[in-house]
Amino acid sequence: MEKPERLFGRDEEWEALADFVAAPTMGATLGLVYGRRRQGKTLMLELLAQATGGLLFAATQQSEPQNLADLGAAYAAHRGLRQPVSFGGWREGLDELLRLGEERAVPVIIDEFPYLVAATPALPSYLQQALSPTGHAKERTRTRLILCGSALITMAELLGGGAPLRGRAVLELVVRPFGFRDAGAFWGLTADPELAFRVHALVGGTPAYREMSGGAGPDGIDAFDRWVQRRLLNPASAMFREGGLLLREEPSIADPSSYAAVLAAISAGNHRRTEIAAALGRPVSALGHLLSGLRGIGLVEQVDDALRQKRSVYRINEPVVRLHQLITQRREPELVAGRAAQVWRSSADTVASKIYGPHFEDLVREWCFLHASGDTLGGFASAVRPSEVSCKAHRRGHEIDVVVTETASSQRDRITAIGEATGTLAPMDTTQLQRLEHLRALLPDDRVDGPPKLLLFGRAGFTGELVEAARGRRDVELVDLHRLYAGE
């Protein structure tokens, strides 16, 4: 089934859905599709229903009788009936939906399924009964039932632990934001990697943010600051409060203020548990459920240290949340007063150190994992993480932005490359190369095929002296923004 031209990217997601619908298996099957809001899930499923003649029912936040009435109307429209069908309850409604696949494989899609569960908590159990191995749906239909939702924890729990639907689904598709390369192409900014990087550092890869930002990105670097002021820091813009709404619209978050405080601490540069706890004035033991909840809804990611077990850092996983915590929320009175230009200018240091710097490191690690070639990395990237190594000479630890490790089935993990990322507007020079060589000497010397490669990532490029020093060295790679967005 060919992907519709209207659907940008999402090749793997579309292929997974097409395989699920077209599977030759006799018997109804169940699939889950979920992800944070505004990722394009509904559009993708609507296009799937159109391409296959399937039924899509979008639930809303209302009572059980109201949802059943809407379902009856959607069912009648799909069947070409002149009058809505009145279902006596969810058991009857589910049975009729599953009968739609008696003659051919057909997708039946229920969007915003968590709304239905909130009104009818027993619904997953009803569905378990409807999909009984010896029931009509499993023996006489080829219905492909897809449950979709944006409440991440609710959707994930449908298949967890002792949940009624555990073991019933054959598809669990998580729809995530675009990677930085796809996001640059989606915004039409691939020809200007610096502009693509700045936009991605502020709004990330959520597809809906383009429309919410006026339908287009800035026309060029010269128009970037004005675009930020009009589209992101303007109280009249749909993007102005987005970074705060992402937390509050998740039903599993009962106390948004406590979670927001954690996001603020991480955004300010406190990445370890002890640092976050100190910033909040709380004991470390009080952070567990907060960090777990933020990870569960995709706003925070836990990144393990490449060389030290049980030593992790936490990073913001959604750029628009970081922008909200560092600028929009803190400077809201000034922004409401129409002083966006002044706020943006006075926030330059914060943007450079707390947004562009960390974001460039994130993109570098993503590039190593997804896009860099084996020749560039000196091997296959099984994991790309930061680390810290002890140094007796300097009597302190040194941070390493990038540690690329390769996992082999019969051997211990080996370090194929280490790297340093500079997200400032100053080109990298030989000082960074010398520092990286020093760090390499501190690593365990257990490689039989030579030392790890040295990767230098410069947002603003490299000095002529560094380019000359790296020339002819097979153990050194220089990677600028152009190579990040188009090379390997």
Side-chain angles (χ1 to χ4, degrees):
M1 183 167 53
E2 187 175 353
K3 189 187 76 171
E5 292 185 5
R6 184 179 174 184
L7 184 63
F8 179 88
R10 304 300 189 200
D11 294 342
E12 294 182 3
E13 292 90 339
W14 183 263
E15 183 177 357
L17 289 170
D19 287 347
F20 173 74
V21 172
T25 308
M26 186 61 190
T29 53
L30 174 66
L32 266 63
V33 176
Y34 58 97
R36 288 208 317 269
R37 295 189 187 281
R38 294 175 276 285
Q39 303 305 323
K41 303 183 299 297
T42 298
L43 172 62
M44 183 166 59
L45 293 175
E46 285 180 348
L47 294 173
L48 179 71
Q50 291 175 9
T52 58
L55 179 151
L56 186 145
F57 167 63
T60 57
Q61 289 180 298
Q62 56 185 3
S63 68
E64 177 178 315
Q66 290 171 315
N67 275 316
L68 280 170
D70 288 349
L71 176 64
Y75 174 83
H78 176 77
R79 293 289 304 271
L81 306 177
R82 299 181 63 180
Q83 297 294 328
V85 174
S86 179
F87 293 126
W90 272 109
R91 286 189 174 91
E92 180 185 347
L94 290 174
D95 286 342
E96 290 303 316
L97 289 178
L98 292 172
R99 287 180 181 275
L100 291 175
E102 288 179 333
E103 297 182 359
R104 64 181 181 89
V106 59
V108 174
I109 303 163
I110 301 179
D111 197 10
E112 296 299 355
F113 186 71
Y115 289 159
L116 302 182
V117 177
T120 310
L123 187 55
S125 295
Y126 297 160
L127 189 54
Q128 177 192 28
Q129 295 172 349
L131 293 174
S132 168
T134 58
H136 179 84
K138 275 293 186 181
E139 293 193 340
R140 301 292 180 87
T141 83
R142 293 177 60 198
T143 304
R144 307 303 180 226
L145 181 62
I146 299 175
L147 309 179
C148 179
S150 301
L152 300 186
I153 294 179
T154 301
M155 292 297 296
E157 287 178 346
L158 289 175
L159 304 180
L165 295 179
R166 177 175 174 79
R168 301 280 181 173
V170 299
L171 171 72
E172 186 176 6
L173 178 63
V174 182
V175 182
R176 296 182 172 86
F178 290 140
F180 74 94
R181 281 191 173 181
D182 283 344
F186 182 70
W187 283 79
L189 302 176
T190 304
D192 191 339
E194 171 63 25
L195 187 58
F197 165 75
R198 293 190 192 185
V199 170
H200 193 265
L202 299 184
V203 301
T206 295
Y209 290 167
R210 187 179 68 179
E211 182 177 352
M212 293 170 63
S213 300
D219 293 334
I221 288 293
D222 293 341
F224 175 73
D225 291 343
R226 177 61 177 159
W227 179 81
V228 171
Q229 295 158 27
R230 292 180 61 234
R231 301 303 183 185
L232 306 183
L233 302 182
N234 180 359
S237 169
M239 290 294 295
F240 185 71
R241 303 189 187 279
E242 177 67 10
L245 292 176
L246 287 179
L247 182 64
R248 286 169 171 78
E249 67 188 10
E250 172 57 51
S252 65
I253 301 299
D255 179 18
S257 59
S258 296
Y259 291 90
V262 175
L263 291 174
I266 299 175
S267 298
N270 303 290
H271 299 297
R272 302 192 185 280
R273 277 181 178 253
T274 53
E275 297 171 347
I276 299 169
L280 299 180
R282 296 187 179 189
V284 174
S285 58
L287 294 182
H289 73 286
L290 297 174
L291 290 170
S292 177
L294 291 171
R295 290 173 56 202
I297 61 176
L299 297 186
V300 165
E301 180 184 15
Q302 179 180 348
V303 183
D304 295 331
D305 190 292
L307 304 177
R308 300 183 180 188
Q309 293 184 350
K310 298 182 180 180
R311 186 177 175 88
S312 303
V313 295
Y314 295 88
R315 56 178 288 274
I316 299 296
N317 214 20
E318 176 51 65
V320 75
V321 169
R322 183 172 52 199
L323 176 68
H324 176 81
Q325 294 293 338
L326 292 174
I327 299 178
T328 310
Q329 181 175 262
R330 296 178 61 187
R331 308 288 294 273
E332 183 172 351
E334 297 168 81
L335 295 172
V336 171
R339 295 158 59 183
Q342 178 181 333
V343 168
W344 183 242
R345 283 196 302 270
S346 64
S347 302
D349 290 343
T350 297
V351 173
S353 62
K354 306 297 185 185
I355 295 180
Y356 290 157
H359 195 73
F360 186 68
E361 294 177 14
D362 292 340
L363 261 59
V364 159
R365 288 189 282 267
E366 181 178 337
W367 181 81
C368 288
F369 188 67
L370 296 178
H371 305 295
S373 68
D375 289 341
T376 295
L377 302 179
F380 177 78
S382 301
V384 184
R385 296 164 292 184
S387 187
E388 183 178 305
V389 292
S390 300
C391 177
K392 293 182 179 180
H394 296 100
R395 297 182 180 180
R396 63 183 181 88
H398 294 299
E399 292 185 356
I400 308 179
D401 298 328
V402 175
V403 178
V404 182
T405 54
E406 181 178 55
T407 301
S409 58
S410 59
Q411 301 174 356
R412 59 183 295 183
D413 292 357
R414 69 184 185 99
I415 300 173
T416 68
I418 61 173
E420 176 143 340
T422 300
T424 67
L425 290 177
M428 297 185 81
D429 58 27
T430 54
T431 303
Q432 279 93 346
L433 175 57
Q434 294 165 3
R435 178 180 184 276
L436 212 51
E437 290 175 323
H438 175 65
L439 296 181
R440 181 169 63 180
L442 301 176
L443 297 175
D445 187 15
D446 57 358
R447 280 189 54 145
V448 297
D449 54 346
K453 296 193 69 172
L454 304 179
L455 314 175
L456 292 106
F457 301 90
R459 174 187 165 196
F462 315 95
T463 64
E465 184 180 5
L466 176 56
V467 173
E468 185 62 30
R471 182 172 288 120
R473 289 188 57 172
R474 296 182 58 84
D475 66 327
V476 177
E477 296 281 347
L478 305 183
V479 184
D480 59 11
L481 272 177
H482 287 276
R483 187 171 175 184
L484 280 179
Y485 273 87
E488 60 179 27

